PDB file of all heavy atoms in Angstrom:
ATOM      1  N   LEU A 254     -16.365  55.672 118.901  1.00  0.00           N
ATOM      2  CA  LEU A 254     -15.688  56.592 119.782  1.00  0.00           C
ATOM      3  C   LEU A 254     -16.654  57.681 120.219  1.00  0.00           C
ATOM      4  O   LEU A 254     -17.363  58.226 119.324  1.00  0.00           O
ATOM      5  CB  LEU A 254     -14.484  57.230 119.089  1.00  0.00           C
ATOM      6  CG  LEU A 254     -13.247  56.357 118.931  1.00  0.00           C
ATOM      7  CD1 LEU A 254     -12.125  57.207 118.251  1.00  0.00           C
ATOM      8  CD2 LEU A 254     -12.730  55.814 120.242  1.00  0.00           C
ATOM      9  N   VAL A 255     -16.617  58.029 121.447  1.00  0.00           N
ATOM     10  CA  VAL A 255     -17.457  59.136 122.010  1.00  0.00           C
ATOM     11  C   VAL A 255     -16.558  60.099 122.764  1.00  0.00           C
ATOM     12  O   VAL A 255     -15.900  59.719 123.733  1.00  0.00           O
ATOM     13  CB  VAL A 255     -18.586  58.636 122.945  1.00  0.00           C
ATOM     14  CG1 VAL A 255     -19.382  59.814 123.473  1.00  0.00           C
ATOM     15  CG2 VAL A 255     -19.478  57.652 122.200  1.00  0.00           C
ATOM     16  N   GLY A 256     -16.527  61.330 122.290  1.00  0.00           N
ATOM     17  CA  GLY A 256     -15.888  62.428 123.053  1.00  0.00           C
ATOM     18  C   GLY A 256     -16.933  63.098 123.903  1.00  0.00           C
ATOM     19  O   GLY A 256     -18.087  63.332 123.421  1.00  0.00           O
ATOM     20  N   THR A 257     -16.605  63.479 125.110  1.00  0.00           N
ATOM     21  CA  THR A 257     -17.603  64.057 126.007  1.00  0.00           C
ATOM     22  C   THR A 257     -17.001  65.125 126.936  1.00  0.00           C
ATOM     23  O   THR A 257     -15.814  64.997 127.266  1.00  0.00           O
ATOM     24  CB  THR A 257     -18.378  63.034 126.862  1.00  0.00           C
ATOM     25  OG1 THR A 257     -19.420  63.631 127.585  1.00  0.00           O
ATOM     26  CG2 THR A 257     -17.386  62.330 127.828  1.00  0.00           C
ATOM     27  N   TYR A 258     -17.733  66.189 127.212  1.00  0.00           N
ATOM     28  CA  TYR A 258     -17.335  67.204 128.142  1.00  0.00           C
ATOM     29  C   TYR A 258     -18.487  67.452 129.101  1.00  0.00           C
ATOM     30  O   TYR A 258     -19.630  67.573 128.724  1.00  0.00           O
ATOM     31  CB  TYR A 258     -17.024  68.518 127.463  1.00  0.00           C
ATOM     32  CG  TYR A 258     -16.605  69.639 128.398  1.00  0.00           C
ATOM     33  CD1 TYR A 258     -15.237  69.768 128.788  1.00  0.00           C
ATOM     34  CD2 TYR A 258     -17.484  70.514 128.946  1.00  0.00           C
ATOM     35  CE1 TYR A 258     -14.870  70.742 129.668  1.00  0.00           C
ATOM     36  CE2 TYR A 258     -17.139  71.559 129.804  1.00  0.00           C
ATOM     37  CZ  TYR A 258     -15.796  71.639 130.163  1.00  0.00           C
ATOM     38  OH  TYR A 258     -15.437  72.620 131.062  1.00  0.00           O
ATOM     39  N   GLY A 259     -18.165  67.433 130.420  1.00  0.00           N
ATOM     40  CA  GLY A 259     -19.172  67.746 131.434  1.00  0.00           C
ATOM     41  C   GLY A 259     -18.784  68.893 132.324  1.00  0.00           C
ATOM     42  O   GLY A 259     -17.597  69.019 132.719  1.00  0.00           O
ATOM     43  N   GLU A 260     -19.754  69.744 132.649  1.00  0.00           N
ATOM     44  CA  GLU A 260     -19.556  70.906 133.476  1.00  0.00           C
ATOM     45  C   GLU A 260     -20.154  70.629 134.854  1.00  0.00           C
ATOM     46  O   GLU A 260     -21.362  70.315 134.997  1.00  0.00           O
ATOM     47  CB  GLU A 260     -20.206  72.160 132.848  1.00  0.00           C
ATOM     48  CG  GLU A 260     -20.084  73.439 133.635  1.00  0.00           C
ATOM     49  CD  GLU A 260     -18.722  74.117 133.415  1.00  0.00           C
ATOM     50  OE1 GLU A 260     -17.927  73.618 132.591  1.00  0.00           O
ATOM     51  OE2 GLU A 260     -18.488  75.128 134.121  1.00  0.00           O
ATOM     52  N   ARG A 261     -19.431  70.787 135.912  1.00  0.00           N
ATOM     53  CA  ARG A 261     -19.895  70.500 137.247  1.00  0.00           C
ATOM     54  C   ARG A 261     -20.814  71.511 137.757  1.00  0.00           C
ATOM     55  O   ARG A 261     -20.804  72.690 137.370  1.00  0.00           O
ATOM     56  CB  ARG A 261     -18.715  70.278 138.208  1.00  0.00           C
ATOM     57  CG  ARG A 261     -17.896  71.574 138.374  1.00  0.00           C
ATOM     58  CD  ARG A 261     -16.667  71.288 139.262  1.00  0.00           C
ATOM     59  NE  ARG A 261     -15.897  72.595 139.410  1.00  0.00           N
ATOM     60  CZ  ARG A 261     -14.957  72.787 140.329  1.00  0.00           C
ATOM     61  NH1 ARG A 261     -14.698  71.824 141.213  1.00  0.00           N
ATOM     62  NH2 ARG A 261     -14.343  73.928 140.433  1.00  0.00           N
ATOM     63  N   SER A 262     -21.629  71.200 138.786  1.00  0.00           N
ATOM     64  CA  SER A 262     -22.594  72.106 139.381  1.00  0.00           C
ATOM     65  C   SER A 262     -22.033  72.735 140.681  1.00  0.00           C
ATOM     66  O   SER A 262     -22.614  73.739 141.129  1.00  0.00           O
ATOM     67  CB  SER A 262     -23.902  71.398 139.707  1.00  0.00           C
ATOM     68  OG  SER A 262     -23.720  70.426 140.712  1.00  0.00           O
ATOM     69  N   SER A 263     -21.063  72.143 141.247  1.00  0.00           N
ATOM     70  CA  SER A 263     -20.501  72.644 142.531  1.00  0.00           C
ATOM     71  C   SER A 263     -19.029  72.196 142.674  1.00  0.00           C
ATOM     72  O   SER A 263     -18.511  71.496 141.773  1.00  0.00           O
ATOM     73  CB  SER A 263     -21.347  72.065 143.702  1.00  0.00           C
ATOM     74  OG  SER A 263     -21.304  70.650 143.710  1.00  0.00           O
ATOM     75  N   ALA A 264     -18.399  72.562 143.761  1.00  0.00           N
ATOM     76  CA  ALA A 264     -16.983  72.250 143.916  1.00  0.00           C
ATOM     77  C   ALA A 264     -16.780  70.720 144.002  1.00  0.00           C
ATOM     78  O   ALA A 264     -17.658  69.989 144.374  1.00  0.00           O
ATOM     79  CB  ALA A 264     -16.486  72.875 145.241  1.00  0.00           C
ATOM     80  N   GLY A 265     -15.579  70.271 143.688  1.00  0.00           N
ATOM     81  CA  GLY A 265     -15.249  68.888 143.727  1.00  0.00           C
ATOM     82  C   GLY A 265     -14.925  68.335 142.364  1.00  0.00           C
ATOM     83  O   GLY A 265     -15.469  68.766 141.307  1.00  0.00           O
ATOM     84  N   ALA A 266     -14.004  67.378 142.332  1.00  0.00           N
ATOM     85  CA  ALA A 266     -13.552  66.789 141.075  1.00  0.00           C
ATOM     86  C   ALA A 266     -14.651  65.896 140.488  1.00  0.00           C
ATOM     87  O   ALA A 266     -15.351  65.197 141.177  1.00  0.00           O
ATOM     88  CB  ALA A 266     -12.306  65.957 141.301  1.00  0.00           C
ATOM     89  N   ARG A 267     -14.741  65.904 139.145  1.00  0.00           N
ATOM     90  CA  ARG A 267     -15.673  65.044 138.405  1.00  0.00           C
ATOM     91  C   ARG A 267     -14.932  64.234 137.388  1.00  0.00           C
ATOM     92  O   ARG A 267     -13.880  64.642 136.880  1.00  0.00           O
ATOM     93  CB  ARG A 267     -16.731  65.892 137.680  1.00  0.00           C
ATOM     94  CG  ARG A 267     -17.488  66.875 138.571  1.00  0.00           C
ATOM     95  CD  ARG A 267     -18.468  66.164 139.558  1.00  0.00           C
ATOM     96  NE  ARG A 267     -19.398  67.115 140.083  1.00  0.00           N
ATOM     97  CZ  ARG A 267     -19.205  67.883 141.155  1.00  0.00           C
ATOM     98  NH1 ARG A 267     -18.039  67.834 141.767  1.00  0.00           N
ATOM     99  NH2 ARG A 267     -20.145  68.694 141.510  1.00  0.00           N
ATOM    100  N   SER A 268     -15.518  63.050 137.062  1.00  0.00           N
ATOM    101  CA  SER A 268     -15.016  62.246 135.983  1.00  0.00           C
ATOM    102  C   SER A 268     -16.155  61.396 135.474  1.00  0.00           C
ATOM    103  O   SER A 268     -17.204  61.299 136.118  1.00  0.00           O
ATOM    104  CB  SER A 268     -13.809  61.380 136.387  1.00  0.00           C
ATOM    105  OG  SER A 268     -14.213  60.476 137.415  1.00  0.00           O
ATOM    106  N   VAL A 269     -15.960  60.769 134.340  1.00  0.00           N
ATOM    107  CA  VAL A 269     -16.970  59.834 133.808  1.00  0.00           C
ATOM    108  C   VAL A 269     -16.691  58.442 134.424  1.00  0.00           C
ATOM    109  O   VAL A 269     -15.564  57.980 134.398  1.00  0.00           O
ATOM    110  CB  VAL A 269     -16.882  59.752 132.281  1.00  0.00           C
ATOM    111  CG1 VAL A 269     -17.905  58.689 131.755  1.00  0.00           C
ATOM    112  CG2 VAL A 269     -17.176  61.111 131.607  1.00  0.00           C
ATOM    113  N   SER A 270     -17.735  57.848 135.015  1.00  0.00           N
ATOM    114  CA  SER A 270     -17.577  56.516 135.623  1.00  0.00           C
ATOM    115  C   SER A 270     -17.912  55.430 134.659  1.00  0.00           C
ATOM    116  O   SER A 270     -17.277  54.370 134.636  1.00  0.00           O
ATOM    117  CB  SER A 270     -18.432  56.433 136.878  1.00  0.00           C
ATOM    118  OG  SER A 270     -19.773  56.621 136.587  1.00  0.00           O
ATOM    119  N   THR A 271     -18.931  55.631 133.804  1.00  0.00           N
ATOM    120  CA  THR A 271     -19.301  54.677 132.799  1.00  0.00           C
ATOM    121  C   THR A 271     -19.847  55.444 131.569  1.00  0.00           C
ATOM    122  O   THR A 271     -20.372  56.537 131.680  1.00  0.00           O
ATOM    123  CB  THR A 271     -20.380  53.674 133.241  1.00  0.00           C
ATOM    124  OG1 THR A 271     -21.557  54.359 133.540  1.00  0.00           O
ATOM    125  CG2 THR A 271     -19.879  52.895 134.468  1.00  0.00           C
ATOM    126  N   LEU A 272     -19.628  54.829 130.375  1.00  0.00           N
ATOM    127  CA  LEU A 272     -20.223  55.385 129.145  1.00  0.00           C
ATOM    128  C   LEU A 272     -20.618  54.217 128.280  1.00  0.00           C
ATOM    129  O   LEU A 272     -19.779  53.346 127.990  1.00  0.00           O
ATOM    130  CB  LEU A 272     -19.197  56.277 128.436  1.00  0.00           C
ATOM    131  CG  LEU A 272     -19.717  57.261 127.427  1.00  0.00           C
ATOM    132  CD1 LEU A 272     -18.764  58.458 127.268  1.00  0.00           C
ATOM    133  CD2 LEU A 272     -20.053  56.650 126.067  1.00  0.00           C
ATOM    134  N   THR A 273     -21.849  54.177 127.846  1.00  0.00           N
ATOM    135  CA  THR A 273     -22.343  53.075 127.024  1.00  0.00           C
ATOM    136  C   THR A 273     -22.893  53.646 125.737  1.00  0.00           C
ATOM    137  O   THR A 273     -23.400  54.775 125.657  1.00  0.00           O
ATOM    138  CB  THR A 273     -23.467  52.283 127.745  1.00  0.00           C
ATOM    139  OG1 THR A 273     -24.574  53.157 127.985  1.00  0.00           O
ATOM    140  CG2 THR A 273     -22.936  51.720 129.038  1.00  0.00           C
ATOM    141  N   ALA A 274     -22.818  52.764 124.667  1.00  0.00           N
ATOM    142  CA  ALA A 274     -23.421  53.126 123.392  1.00  0.00           C
ATOM    143  C   ALA A 274     -24.242  51.878 122.942  1.00  0.00           C
ATOM    144  O   ALA A 274     -23.655  50.799 122.767  1.00  0.00           O
ATOM    145  CB  ALA A 274     -22.323  53.426 122.387  1.00  0.00           C
ATOM    146  N   ASN A 275     -25.526  52.097 122.741  1.00  0.00           N
ATOM    147  CA  ASN A 275     -26.424  51.040 122.361  1.00  0.00           C
ATOM    148  C   ASN A 275     -26.320  49.808 123.329  1.00  0.00           C
ATOM    149  O   ASN A 275     -26.360  48.646 122.888  1.00  0.00           O
ATOM    150  CB  ASN A 275     -26.207  50.563 120.916  1.00  0.00           C
ATOM    151  CG  ASN A 275     -27.401  49.834 120.385  1.00  0.00           C
ATOM    152  OD1 ASN A 275     -28.533  50.081 120.749  1.00  0.00           O
ATOM    153  ND2 ASN A 275     -27.150  48.925 119.407  1.00  0.00           N
ATOM    154  N   GLY A 276     -26.110  50.103 124.605  1.00  0.00           N
ATOM    155  CA  GLY A 276     -26.009  49.077 125.618  1.00  0.00           C
ATOM    156  C   GLY A 276     -24.659  48.467 125.811  1.00  0.00           C
ATOM    157  O   GLY A 276     -24.478  47.671 126.739  1.00  0.00           O
ATOM    158  N   THR A 277     -23.663  48.785 124.964  1.00  0.00           N
ATOM    159  CA  THR A 277     -22.361  48.276 125.092  1.00  0.00           C
ATOM    160  C   THR A 277     -21.484  49.214 125.933  1.00  0.00           C
ATOM    161  O   THR A 277     -21.445  50.424 125.658  1.00  0.00           O
ATOM    162  CB  THR A 277     -21.702  48.037 123.743  1.00  0.00           C
ATOM    163  OG1 THR A 277     -22.488  47.027 123.043  1.00  0.00           O
ATOM    164  CG2 THR A 277     -20.270  47.551 123.875  1.00  0.00           C
ATOM    165  N   SER A 278     -20.722  48.689 126.881  1.00  0.00           N
ATOM    166  CA  SER A 278     -19.864  49.513 127.665  1.00  0.00           C
ATOM    167  C   SER A 278     -18.602  49.881 126.925  1.00  0.00           C
ATOM    168  O   SER A 278     -17.915  49.031 126.364  1.00  0.00           O
ATOM    169  CB  SER A 278     -19.443  48.731 128.969  1.00  0.00           C
ATOM    170  OG  SER A 278     -20.581  48.556 129.779  1.00  0.00           O
ATOM    171  N   LEU A 279     -18.261  51.161 126.909  1.00  0.00           N
ATOM    172  CA  LEU A 279     -17.038  51.685 126.260  1.00  0.00           C
ATOM    173  C   LEU A 279     -15.992  51.744 127.379  1.00  0.00           C
ATOM    174  O   LEU A 279     -16.340  51.848 128.546  1.00  0.00           O
ATOM    175  CB  LEU A 279     -17.308  53.013 125.586  1.00  0.00           C
ATOM    176  CG  LEU A 279     -17.872  52.964 124.205  1.00  0.00           C
ATOM    177  CD1 LEU A 279     -19.167  52.195 124.098  1.00  0.00           C
ATOM    178  CD2 LEU A 279     -18.056  54.371 123.599  1.00  0.00           C
ATOM    179  N   ALA A 280     -14.750  51.900 126.923  1.00  0.00           N
ATOM    180  CA  ALA A 280     -13.635  52.035 127.857  1.00  0.00           C
ATOM    181  C   ALA A 280     -12.972  53.390 127.692  1.00  0.00           C
ATOM    182  O   ALA A 280     -12.965  53.935 126.561  1.00  0.00           O
ATOM    183  CB  ALA A 280     -12.603  50.925 127.630  1.00  0.00           C
ATOM    184  N   LEU A 281     -12.425  53.967 128.789  1.00  0.00           N
ATOM    185  CA  LEU A 281     -11.735  55.248 128.620  1.00  0.00           C
ATOM    186  C   LEU A 281     -10.512  55.062 127.734  1.00  0.00           C
ATOM    187  O   LEU A 281      -9.671  54.214 127.940  1.00  0.00           O
ATOM    188  CB  LEU A 281     -11.286  55.653 130.035  1.00  0.00           C
ATOM    189  CG  LEU A 281     -10.464  56.963 130.114  1.00  0.00           C
ATOM    190  CD1 LEU A 281     -11.326  58.176 129.610  1.00  0.00           C
ATOM    191  CD2 LEU A 281      -9.955  57.250 131.491  1.00  0.00           C
ATOM    192  N   VAL A 282     -10.441  55.999 126.733  1.00  0.00           N
ATOM    193  CA  VAL A 282      -9.307  56.040 125.814  1.00  0.00           C
ATOM    194  C   VAL A 282      -8.334  57.112 126.240  1.00  0.00           C
ATOM    195  O   VAL A 282      -7.112  56.832 126.325  1.00  0.00           O
ATOM    196  CB  VAL A 282      -9.835  56.279 124.376  1.00  0.00           C
ATOM    197  CG1 VAL A 282      -8.615  56.482 123.450  1.00  0.00           C
ATOM    198  CG2 VAL A 282     -10.662  55.112 123.920  1.00  0.00           C
ATOM    199  N   LYS A 283      -8.825  58.295 126.564  1.00  0.00           N
ATOM    200  CA  LYS A 283      -7.978  59.438 126.948  1.00  0.00           C
ATOM    201  C   LYS A 283      -8.816  60.498 127.656  1.00  0.00           C
ATOM    202  O   LYS A 283      -9.913  60.750 127.261  1.00  0.00           O
ATOM    203  CB  LYS A 283      -7.327  60.027 125.671  1.00  0.00           C
ATOM    204  CG  LYS A 283      -6.273  61.089 125.955  1.00  0.00           C
ATOM    205  CD  LYS A 283      -4.998  60.469 126.519  1.00  0.00           C
ATOM    206  CE  LYS A 283      -3.849  61.492 126.619  1.00  0.00           C
ATOM    207  NZ  LYS A 283      -2.650  60.920 127.261  1.00  0.00           N
ATOM    208  N   ASP A 284      -8.240  61.106 128.720  1.00  0.00           N
ATOM    209  CA  ASP A 284      -8.842  62.323 129.276  1.00  0.00           C
ATOM    210  C   ASP A 284      -7.898  63.487 129.006  1.00  0.00           C
ATOM    211  O   ASP A 284      -6.758  63.310 128.552  1.00  0.00           O
ATOM    212  CB  ASP A 284      -9.150  62.126 130.751  1.00  0.00           C
ATOM    213  CG  ASP A 284      -7.948  62.013 131.667  1.00  0.00           C
ATOM    214  OD1 ASP A 284      -6.837  62.536 131.259  1.00  0.00           O
ATOM    215  OD2 ASP A 284      -7.976  61.372 132.670  1.00  0.00           O
ATOM    216  N   TRP A 285      -8.406  64.677 129.241  1.00  0.00           N
ATOM    217  CA  TRP A 285      -7.714  65.873 128.810  1.00  0.00           C
ATOM    218  C   TRP A 285      -6.527  66.231 129.676  1.00  0.00           C
ATOM    219  O   TRP A 285      -5.709  67.051 129.245  1.00  0.00           O
ATOM    220  CB  TRP A 285      -8.719  66.980 128.734  1.00  0.00           C
ATOM    221  CG  TRP A 285      -9.314  67.456 130.025  1.00  0.00           C
ATOM    222  CD1 TRP A 285      -9.480  66.678 131.126  1.00  0.00           C
ATOM    223  CD2 TRP A 285      -9.844  68.708 130.376  1.00  0.00           C
ATOM    224  NE1 TRP A 285     -10.083  67.374 132.135  1.00  0.00           N
ATOM    225  CE2 TRP A 285     -10.319  68.676 131.684  1.00  0.00           C
ATOM    226  CE3 TRP A 285      -9.957  69.925 129.676  1.00  0.00           C
ATOM    227  CZ2 TRP A 285     -10.885  69.750 132.335  1.00  0.00           C
ATOM    228  CZ3 TRP A 285     -10.516  71.007 130.331  1.00  0.00           C
ATOM    229  CH2 TRP A 285     -10.963  70.934 131.620  1.00  0.00           C
ATOM    230  N   GLY A 286      -6.497  65.801 130.932  1.00  0.00           N
ATOM    231  CA  GLY A 286      -5.423  66.113 131.814  1.00  0.00           C
ATOM    232  C   GLY A 286      -5.481  67.580 132.334  1.00  0.00           C
ATOM    233  O   GLY A 286      -4.492  68.131 132.744  1.00  0.00           O
ATOM    234  N   GLY A 287      -6.701  68.135 132.321  1.00  0.00           N
ATOM    235  CA  GLY A 287      -6.818  69.513 132.713  1.00  0.00           C
ATOM    236  C   GLY A 287      -6.800  69.668 134.233  1.00  0.00           C
ATOM    237  O   GLY A 287      -7.089  68.777 135.014  1.00  0.00           O
ATOM    238  N   ALA A 288      -6.446  70.873 134.689  1.00  0.00           N
ATOM    239  CA  ALA A 288      -6.391  71.199 136.112  1.00  0.00           C
ATOM    240  C   ALA A 288      -7.779  71.420 136.673  1.00  0.00           C
ATOM    241  O   ALA A 288      -7.997  71.254 137.846  1.00  0.00           O
ATOM    242  CB  ALA A 288      -5.535  72.422 136.328  1.00  0.00           C
ATOM    243  N   SER A 289      -8.751  71.788 135.864  1.00  0.00           N
ATOM    244  CA  SER A 289     -10.111  72.055 136.367  1.00  0.00           C
ATOM    245  C   SER A 289     -10.754  70.732 136.794  1.00  0.00           C
ATOM    246  O   SER A 289     -10.403  69.633 136.379  1.00  0.00           O
ATOM    247  CB  SER A 289     -10.972  72.630 135.215  1.00  0.00           C
ATOM    248  OG  SER A 289     -12.359  72.617 135.586  1.00  0.00           O
ATOM    249  N   ALA A 290     -11.709  70.853 137.680  1.00  0.00           N
ATOM    250  CA  ALA A 290     -12.435  69.674 138.215  1.00  0.00           C
ATOM    251  C   ALA A 290     -13.618  69.262 137.288  1.00  0.00           C
ATOM    252  O   ALA A 290     -14.241  68.273 137.503  1.00  0.00           O
ATOM    253  CB  ALA A 290     -13.007  69.963 139.607  1.00  0.00           C
TER     254      ALA A 290
END
Side-chain angles (χ1 to χ4, degrees):
L254 285 182
V255 179
T257 186
Y258 179 86
E260 180 81 5
R261 63 182 181 166
S262 66
S263 59
R267 306 290 196 274
S268 61
V269 177
S270 58
T271 62
L272 199 157
T273 64
N275 199 29
T277 297
S278 295
L279 277 56
L281 177 64
V282 174
K283 188 70 174 177
D284 66 29
W285 65 333
S289 168

